[in-house]
Amino acid sequence: MSIKFERKAALYPGSFDPITNGHLDIIKRALNIFDYLVIAVAVNTDKKTLFTKEERIELITGAVRDLDGVEVTSFTGLTAEFAKSKGVKAIVRGLRMVSDFEYEFQMALMNRKLMPEADTIFLMPSEKYTYLSSSLIKDIGKYNGKIECFLPPNVVEALGKKFQIKNYRG
Ligand code: ADP
């Protein structure tokens, strides 16, 4: 006899500027644990981004098109407040290397202080994505480096357009 457990929803917040295969790897792993995942673009007005909030949402939506149980949205302000408003008690974050740890640990404990009923769940990506980051992709893409293998096809296209326009104007 198998016991049926009720599974829950989680929040995956981030800049996603743009979404990479590393983020997608974490999203798929989270969906193995949770029934429903709210992927939310955290809008920080102090942070300069290459893609607008709307573009980032559109790129994520395109990249997760084939996945069930996901919602793509955005929020401003505190992650803990947004998690509360969504009724979500698990925050998913990706841990690539030791270098991520200090910042993520600090943020997880702060979020716990702000929302004691929630916990941050850390997931590790496949080894091939441990050195992958959105900022590295933007640096390589800017100089026409090969980035296709690190990104969903819709993001490759969007980055190509973005850099062409930038180069053209520049
Ligand atoms: P933030 O500005 O919130 O760090 P990011 O979009 O850079 O936003 O990252 C969101 C989350 O996804 C973070 O927890 C980050 O560690 C994780 N992440 C980013 N890239 C990868 C990757 N290649 N593999 C695993 N996790 C990743």
Side-chain angles (χ1 to χ4, degrees), residues 36-67:
Y36 193 76
L37 189 66
V38 180
I39 306 166
V41 172
V43 182
N44 177 350
T45 42
D46 297 337
K47 219 170 171 177
K48 226 182 127 12
T49 56
L50 179 65
F51 290 97
T52 64
K53 174 186 78 179
E54 290 75 19
E55 287 171 331
R56 285 180 278 161
I57 290 177
E58 194 184 317
L59 291 176
I60 299 171
T61 306
V64 301
R65 219 181 30 212
D66 297 333
L67 302 178

Side-chain angles (χ1 to χ4, degrees), residues 95-113:
L95 262 192
R96 284 162 289 191
M97 294 182 227
V98 185
S99 51
D100 278 339
F101 181 78
E102 205 170 331
Y103 171 71
E104 292 290 346
F105 186 69
Q106 196 181 8
M107 210 159 61
L109 290 182
M110 180 55 84
N111 279 333
R112 180 184 278 166
K113 194 91 191 154

Side-chain angles (χ1 to χ4, degrees), residues 78-89:
L78 295 173
T79 303
E81 287 305 321
F82 181 67
K84 263 186 218 168
S85 76
K86 281 277 173 189
V88 166
K89 292 195 178 122

Side-chain angles (χ1 to χ4, degrees), residues 68-86:
D68 286 330
V70 292
E71 170 186 333
V72 185
T73 186
S74 68
F75 69 99
T76 47
L78 295 173
T79 303
E81 287 305 321
F82 181 67
K84 263 186 218 168
S85 76
K86 281 277 173 189

